[in-house]
Amino acid sequence: MDNYFDKEFELRFFEMNRLGEASAISILTLLQETAAEHCYYAGHDLLSLMSENLGWVLLAGVMEMKRYPLYKEKIIIRTWISKYHSIRGFRENIIYDENYNIIGRARGLWVFYDIKKRRPKKIHHDFIEKWSSYEKISLEHNISNKIEPLNSFEYKKEFKVNMYDTDTNKHVNNLRYLQWLMESIPDEILENYYLYFIDGRFISEAHYSDSILSLTKRDVEENSFLHTIKIKESDVVCATGKSVWKKIEK
């Protein structure tokens, strides 16, 4: 396999959940960190891009985990670009244990974005030259299709966007949407199941002080749910998603 980038991590205590395993949020954070390192490798770290009012925006993403790593466990995240368009690309990820056994997979659809003008921009040639593309897909799942917002729901949580929810662009970080989504998952699921699969679409921005509604409804498959995150005041949908949960083996 060519044109990939590897990043090794050792899982830290604050990244653990109550079971002593890395949380789903922690894994997604490490995926973002690996992508940031890949940008640095291409000669454009995210801070330098910000100084040019440029950045990468996640439009859609999916993750599937066979298991979550334990405290102090070493993992390797391998990432590459499988396909480019003029303004966007598909980023693939495989998560290995230290013996290169696959424990998870993820892929995302990212768009290169002019933050000041609020519109997509043609990808820098440096990225395409340094990254190149390799057509192998990490996870066979279509992340270009639409996930419809919920018209009805069974579970709801409401809260405000705090300052720490926003990123360096002063927009809500994509990771927060997963946290908010999980707020409206039934307690019986959170206590007895782990997040096996998450598929999300990021539609509109939320900002500091917005009131957020996290809406959840059971899907047709067992232990699967549909989700919508929206702004209460305007009824604008920020994100939609689907999650699948598996029983924790005790």
Side-chain angles (χ1 to χ4, degrees):
M1 179 177 172
D2 300 318
N3 302 326
Y4 64 82
F5 178 83
D6 280 1
K7 176 72 175 175
E8 182 178 298
F9 298 94
E10 182 176 277
L11 275 298
R12 296 162 292 185
F13 180 75
F14 69 85
E15 294 167 322
M16 301 295 105
N17 62 17
R18 62 182 178 82
L19 300 173
E21 299 174 340
S23 68
I25 297 295
S26 295
I27 297 299
L28 289 171
T29 301
L30 297 181
L31 288 168
Q32 284 198 359
E33 180 66 18
T34 304
E37 287 278 338
H38 202 195
C39 284
Y40 183 81
Y41 167 78
H44 292 278
D45 68 79
L46 298 187
L47 292 175
S48 67
L49 286 176
M50 282 174 52
S51 69
E52 302 175 53
N53 289 308
L54 297 173
W56 291 93
V57 175
L58 184 63
L59 300 181
V62 61
M63 181 177 76
E64 179 181 285
M65 295 295 294
K66 292 182 178 180
R67 71 170 183 88
Y68 288 87
L70 305 173
Y71 175 52
K72 301 296 282 184
E73 183 174 355
K74 289 183 174 65
I75 64 170
I76 300 99
I77 297 180
R78 175 167 294 177
T79 190
W80 69 95
I81 307 301
S82 60
K83 184 184 293 185
Y84 283 111
H85 300 285
S86 62
I87 60 171
R88 61 181 186 165
F90 288 87
R91 177 172 290 280
E92 312 292 337
N93 302 272
I94 295 179
I95 305 162
Y96 298 98
D97 68 13
E98 62 182 335
N99 296 314
Y100 282 89
N101 299 305
I102 296 174
I103 63 173
R105 301 173 184 269
R107 68 189 313 243
L109 173 58
W110 294 81
V111 63
F112 198 54
Y113 201 71
D114 187 313
I115 298 166
K116 189 173 183 180
K117 295 181 179 178
R118 319 298 298 159
R119 65 187 185 196
K121 183 177 175 65
K122 190 174 182 179
I123 297 172
H124 277 338
H125 177 72
D126 291 348
F127 284 121
I128 297 173
E129 185 180 72
K130 278 290 184 70
W131 286 350
S132 301
S133 60
Y134 180 65
E135 294 183 355
K136 183 178 175 67
I137 304 298
S138 58
L139 181 58
E140 290 291 347
H141 185 82
N142 184 3
I143 56 174
S144 298
N145 64 335
K146 188 175 181 180
I147 300 177
E148 294 291 342
L150 292 174
N151 293 318
S152 61
F153 58 89
E154 298 173 62
Y155 310 98
K156 180 179 79 168
K157 281 291 181 69
E158 179 180 339
F159 34 80
K160 284 276 190 180
V161 177
N162 295 307
M163 187 64 71
Y164 65 79
D165 294 319
T166 59
D167 59 19
T168 49
N169 297 323
K170 296 184 179 179
H171 306 138
V172 170
N173 189 291
N174 289 316
L175 298 177
R176 292 291 181 233
Y177 292 117
L178 176 58
Q179 290 180 311
W180 295 343
L181 172 158
M182 294 178 74
E183 290 287 342
S184 59
I185 293 285
D187 288 343
E188 64 184 87
I189 297 296
L190 294 176
E191 292 171 5
N192 298 292
Y193 295 79
Y194 74 92
L195 181 61
Y196 167 71
F197 176 89
I198 180 73
D199 185 17
R201 303 291 176 273
F202 303 99
I203 301 165
S204 298
E205 297 172 350
H207 299 91
Y208 174 60
S209 81
D210 284 341
S211 294
I212 297 296
L213 296 177
S214 173
L215 310 176
T216 290
K217 182 179 182 179
R218 289 185 183 269
D219 200 4
V220 292
E221 301 169 26
E222 186 177 9
N223 300 321
S224 67
F225 297 85
L226 297 171
H227 310 278
T228 295
I229 303 294
K230 63 180 350 185
I231 299 171
K232 182 180 180 181
E233 296 90 344
S234 62
D235 211 38
V236 169
V237 173
C238 297
T240 59
K242 176 178 179 177
S243 64
V244 179
W245 301 72
K246 285 194 172 183
K247 187 79 171 176
I248 296 171
E249 299 294 335
K250 298 181 179 179

